[in-house]
């Protein structure tokens, strides 16, 4: 994935100010930073849920920002998991996974059901196939959302703070699934406040502030020994919030 000189404005509010970033095949990149720094907007611009004001986004060599691109075909390469689970509440877990496959990929009923079973097994929820979303915990719903994205056979997975809406006791189950995907070699771009996950799993960490990339590098360096003062201040507040000064 390549992001070149990406800008995004909402009226007079300039949210992204010239982002340049690459994510190699099989790489896990975690994006951290304060609220309002543009992290989620960056992620949404990657699959054109938000249309960039200017700049280029390429995934697998296809430029999504090309006006002539088949955006629906290009988006099929990209799975996205949001803060909220966005499951269809009126159908079962299995149907949440099979409907997108049948409508978007044109898979038959039996093939879609097989792929759904395989991916529910991957996230540890094979026994919930017949349940409805309201019968699941928040962590289970988020794992279903991950399985739904995986069932579409994406080349890249985008995660927008996937644990922020969860009870702290449920965070670990979702992170365990993401660790599994990283170990399998899935290309991932993750917006997160989970510093332990970023340190342990990410190949690189990108720190954003004010719509710009302030610092990026190996996870151990950016999280463990940041070079930029703004990064250090942010991490001090995240890792030891009780010690923060007003």
């Amino acid at each position: 994935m390549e992001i070149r000189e990406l800008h995004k404005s909402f009226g007079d509010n300039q949210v992204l100010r010239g982002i340049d970033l690459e994510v190699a095949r099989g790489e896990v990149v975690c994006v951290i930073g304060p609220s309002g720094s543009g992290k989620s907007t960056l992620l949404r611009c990657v699959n054109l849920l938000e249309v960039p004001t200017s700049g280029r986004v390429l995934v697998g060599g296809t430029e999504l920002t090309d006006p002539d691109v088949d955006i629906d075909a290009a988006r099929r390469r990209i799975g996205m998991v949001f803060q909220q689970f966005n499951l269809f509440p009126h159908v079962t877990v299995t149907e949440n996974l099979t409907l997108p496959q049948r409508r978007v990929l044109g898979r038959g009923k039996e093939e879609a059901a097989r792929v759904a079973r395989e991916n529910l097994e991957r996230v540890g929820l094979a026994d919930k196939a017949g349940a409805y979303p309201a019968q699941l915990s928040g962590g289970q719903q988020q794992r279903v959302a991950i399985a739904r994205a995986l069932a579409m056979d994406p080349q890249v997975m985008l995660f927008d703070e996937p644990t922020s809406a969860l009870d702290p006791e449920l965070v670990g189950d979702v992170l365990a699934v993401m660790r599994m995907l990283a170990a399998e070699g899935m290309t991932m771009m993750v917006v997160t406040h989970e510093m332990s996950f970023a340190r342990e799993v990410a190949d690189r960490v990108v720190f954003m502030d004010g719509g710009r990339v302030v610092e990026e590098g190996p996870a151990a360096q950016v999280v463990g020994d940041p070079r930029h003062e703004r990064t250090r201040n942010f991490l001090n507040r995240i890792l030891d919030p009780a010690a923060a000064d007003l």
Side-chain angles (χ1 to χ4, degrees), residues 95-114:
E95 290 172 301
N96 264 280
L97 270 68
T98 57
L99 282 171
Q101 296 181 64
R102 297 177 67 185
R103 295 288 180 87
V104 178
L105 301 181
R107 286 176 178 160
K109 186 176 180 179
E110 291 185 2
E111 182 184 7
R114 175 185 59 77

Side-chain angles (χ1 to χ4, degrees), residues 62-82:
T62 300
E63 183 178 350
L64 275 67
T65 43
D66 184 338
D68 297 324
V69 74
D70 182 346
I71 188 60
D72 291 331
R75 278 198 184 116
R76 292 172 196 165
R77 302 180 176 186
I78 306 170
M80 186 158 185
V81 178
F82 300 87

Side-chain angles (χ1 to χ4, degrees), residues 80-236:
M80 186 158 185
V81 178
F82 300 87
Q83 296 178 33
Q84 301 298 328
F85 321 123
N86 294 332
L87 300 177
F88 300 124
H90 61 292
V91 298
T92 66
V93 164
T94 293
E95 290 172 301
N96 264 280
L97 270 68
T98 57
L99 282 171
Q101 296 181 64
R102 297 177 67 185
R103 295 288 180 87
V104 178
L105 301 181
R107 286 176 178 160
K109 186 176 180 179
E110 291 185 2
E111 182 184 7
R114 175 185 59 77
V115 173
R117 286 194 302 272
E118 291 173 354
N119 282 287
L120 286 173
E121 289 174 1
R122 290 175 77 186
V123 302
L125 291 174
D127 61 329
K128 300 296 184 182
Y132 287 83
Q135 298 172 310
L136 306 179
S137 70
Q140 289 171 332
Q141 289 186 61
Q142 191 63 293
R143 283 189 280 158
V144 170
I146 294 173
R148 178 178 60 184
L150 292 173
M152 304 298 286
D153 297 330
Q155 294 179 346
V156 176
M157 284 285 286
L158 309 177
F159 293 86
D160 187 7
E161 298 192 37
T163 61
S164 65
L166 301 181
D167 184 286
E169 286 187 324
L170 305 176
V171 168
D173 293 336
V174 174
L175 294 181
V177 171
M178 295 171 67
R179 288 188 184 93
M180 174 199 71
L181 295 178
E184 291 177 355
M186 174 63 73
T187 305
M188 298 164 60
M189 188 171 177
V190 184
V191 171
T192 185
H193 288 298
E194 301 290 343
M195 292 303 116
S196 60
F197 175 84
R199 188 198 300 263
E200 175 189 346
V201 178
D203 298 295
R204 278 188 299 132
V205 170
V206 175
F207 174 69
M208 287 182 62
D209 189 33
R212 294 185 171 91
V213 173
V214 175
E215 183 170 354
E216 69 173 295
Q221 180 257 302
V222 175
V223 179
D225 186 24
R227 297 171 181 170
H228 199 283
E229 183 179 359
R230 180 67 185 95
T231 314
R232 288 195 295 271
N233 290 339
F234 170 79
L235 288 170
N236 286 340

